[in-house]
Amino acid sequence: MTATHLEPAGQRQSRAAAASGWIGSALAYYDFFIYATAASLVFPQLFFPSANPTLGIVASLATYGVGCVARPIGAVALGHIGDTRGRRNAMLVCLVLMGLSTMAIGMLPSYGRAGVWAPALLVALRLVQGFAVAGEISGASSMILEHAPFGRRGYFASFALQGAQAGQILAAVAFLPLSWVLPQRTFMAWGWRIPFLLSVFVLVAGYFIRREVSETPAFVEEAAKGEAPRAPVIEAIAHHWDDMLRVVGMSLMNVVPVVATMFGAAIAVQPGHGVAMDASVYLWMPAVGNLVAVVVIPFVGNFSDRVGRRPPMIVGSLLSGLLAFAYLYAISVRSAPLAFLFSVLMWGVLYQGYNAVFPSFYPELFPTRARVSGMAIAQTIGIMLTALLPALFAAVAPPGSAGAPTMIGALAFGVTVVSALAAWSARETYRVRLDDLGERNAACVDRATYYAMRRLSAAGATGCAPARRENLDPGFREGPLDIGESDAAGTFRATALMHASRCGSDRRAVSPSPRRGAASRRRAPAPDG
């Protein structure tokens, strides 16, 4: 295919898009994790009272999975909006639905006051949450990716997940002071509602930030040409089903947060498991792990721009899965120091090899026409499958059973192996130009040119609107460097090209490389960037 525009050159909208993705992800995952925490600590007693504590735990954790059952529906609807009406519009819809449904959970009556209506309303609102969150990460990742300068897509897209980790910190912080200050009876009566109601502040801030972000040039250009698809979901499934299956497999890595936040909490504090760790002590574990993750994520995203997306994803998947054993074992033997250490290593460091990279890797597997739909549907199917794991874990290794942590750890590691294999089977994308993403045989930009353009992007240069690459140099080759062309020549060619595109230089601004002659010129399919 022939490229029609360069990668985004300026960084103002890149930063605005990253901020927008950050705040939206923070709200989505704040809501997600306060529900996960409440489902382990509060909901079994308030919404699912039973003489058998095991039944209450299983029923409460099952509502967590029910929310994810709605995600495929939300992925289809919100993916369609993102690919036909714009990434920005889809992100605003996600934000408002998620924020309002979370606040409504904080106002629900308990089973003692409303009877069966209480758990029924809880399930209904969880379904709304699941519908809304289905398009959040895919929409935010696509918007950031399409605004990011070439060679920096992994770095900028990682901020969507840094926001997610920040949201988890806020969720833990929201519960920690309440668990300290309020008596247990007061906390169970109304204290647990406060974190749900506080989401209104993030909702308002996120709405105004997202309104300030412009639509991506890639989508605007496609819409202006009348090429926006009428049925992006069908197009994604028909033409990119294999990459969707890979994303489903990689998304099974969500088993790590399931183990870290939900089953770790259940084993630590629920009476049925017999560990009886203090809830306030346990709540510090994910909080510290997330603090470390917030620092680590941009470095891993930047690292993936240097070495590729696949290596950190594969290594992070396998090693974080192995540490699931050690983490659950430390909780089972009531060793808070060991649990802290393994939580930080598993959740704060190793898991980020996957978590910081998928916001760039997933959308890079799909073309602009079906990017949001392809990623949203595939990722939410994978998340839906992992969200059903808590109920499975509770059934296979119920509270009080011998070897429950070992059994759950083994199952979790097996799932991470599947995720690593899915990442291994995917093609590398970090040096593919934006216009060619989603093409199975797209050529990569040669390393010398790529790193030269990456250095210019990292320098923070800003400039004019992107120019057409073919107008900059009549002899410019879209493929790899000539054999024998030096790194210096490649660097010169990329530097001149980038400055020409940013500063409005005409086609004479780029001199041909020293070895470029009629016999050596060639055009390969245009790689992105």
Side-chain angles (χ1 to χ4, degrees), residues 181-523:
V181 174
L182 298 178
Q184 178 69 11
R185 181 177 299 228
T186 304
F187 178 78
M188 296 295 290
W190 56 265
W192 67 271
R193 300 178 185 274
I194 295 175
F196 288 89
L197 299 176
L198 287 176
S199 63
V200 64
F201 297 106
V202 186
L203 170 61
V204 172
Y207 180 80
F208 285 105
I209 290 174
R210 288 196 163 175
R211 283 178 59 88
E212 295 302 314
V213 181
S214 63
E215 189 53 76
T216 68
F219 178 82
V220 169
E221 179 178 331
E222 191 168 79
K225 291 180 177 180
E227 295 178 353
R230 301 183 67 176
V233 174
I234 295 176
E235 181 165 331
I237 295 173
H239 302 292
H240 305 281
W241 61 268
D242 52 344
D243 286 320
M244 291 180 71
L245 286 178
R246 291 185 178 96
V247 172
V248 170
M250 288 184 279
S251 296
L252 296 178
M253 269 301 294
N254 284 281
V255 70
V256 172
V258 166
V259 168
T261 61
M262 291 197 65
F263 241 86
I267 292 174
V269 305
Q270 286 296 332
H273 286 280
V275 175
M277 183 180 289
D278 185 80
S280 63
V281 173
Y282 173 78
L283 286 172
W284 274 107
M285 296 182 191
V288 173
N290 284 319
L291 282 171
V292 174
V294 165
V295 177
V296 169
I297 282 174
F299 290 97
V300 178
N302 187 59
F303 183 67
S304 76
D305 283 328
R306 296 180 60 84
V307 303
R309 316 297 188 214
R310 295 164 71 230
M313 292 195 74
I314 293 171
V315 173
S317 298
L318 295 175
L319 294 184
S320 60
L322 279 174
L323 270 184
F325 281 105
Y327 172 69
L328 294 177
Y329 172 78
I331 291 177
S332 69
V333 297
R334 303 178 178 87
S335 175
L338 277 179
F340 262 103
L341 174 63
F342 295 143
S343 174
V344 170
L345 290 177
M346 176 185 69
W347 178 244
V349 180
L350 296 175
Y351 178 69
Q352 304 314 316
Y354 162 80
N355 207 38
V357 177
F358 87 75
S360 54
F361 195 27
Y362 288 1
E364 284 176 340
L365 293 173
F366 302 99
T368 302
R369 291 172 53 83
R371 180 163 292 136
V372 182
S373 296
M375 176 180 173
I377 294 171
Q379 185 185 20
T380 50
I381 291 174
I383 292 173
M384 179 187 71
L385 294 175
T386 53
L388 298 175
L389 289 176
L392 173 63
F393 289 170
V396 173
S401 62
T406 302
M407 176 66 71
I408 296 169
L411 291 172
F413 177 66
V415 173
T416 61
V417 170
V418 174
S419 178
L421 290 173
W424 174 79
S425 71
R427 63 187 177 278
E428 191 54 81
T429 57
Y430 76 114
R431 288 190 291 119
V432 177
R433 282 177 39 186
L434 185 65
D435 290 330
D436 286 345
L437 291 175
E439 297 291 332
R440 290 177 176 80
N441 299 318
C444 294
V445 171
D446 61 87
R447 291 183 181 275
T449 303
Y450 172 79
Y451 287 119
M453 297 174 76
R454 175 177 150 75
R455 283 193 293 272
L456 287 171
S457 298
T462 59
C464 308
R468 294 178 184 271
R469 179 169 294 205
E470 57 266 36
N471 292 339
L472 296 175
D473 178 13
F476 178 74
R477 301 181 317 285
E478 302 285 87
L481 293 172
D482 287 327
I483 296 175
E485 183 176 50
S486 67
D487 287 352
T491 300
F492 166 78
R493 176 157 58 90
T495 303
L497 176 63
M498 291 287 282
H499 281 299
S501 68
R502 291 178 178 182
C503 303
S505 301
D506 62 23
R507 61 201 298 172
R508 293 171 294 179
V510 182
S511 300
S513 64
R515 295 180 57 86
R516 182 180 295 147
S520 65
R521 287 183 200 145
R522 65 184 184 278
R523 286 186 180 269

Side-chain angles (χ1 to χ4, degrees), residues 63-80:
T63 64
Y64 169 85
V66 164
C68 292
V69 171
R71 286 191 174 191
I73 302 173
V76 171
L78 296 169
H80 179 85

Side-chain angles (χ1 to χ4, degrees), residues 146-202:
E146 293 170 6
H147 273 302
F150 186 62
R152 302 279 283 169
R153 295 193 301 238
Y155 172 75
F156 277 101
S158 71
F159 283 96
L161 265 294
Q162 190 190 50
Q165 302 302 129
Q168 294 171 49
I169 294 172
L170 292 174
V173 168
F175 274 105
L176 277 171
L178 295 172
S179 66
W180 285 345
V181 174
L182 298 178
Q184 178 69 11
R185 181 177 299 228
T186 304
F187 178 78
M188 296 295 290
W190 56 265
W192 67 271
R193 300 178 185 274
I194 295 175
F196 288 89
L197 299 176
L198 287 176
S199 63
V200 64
F201 297 106
V202 186

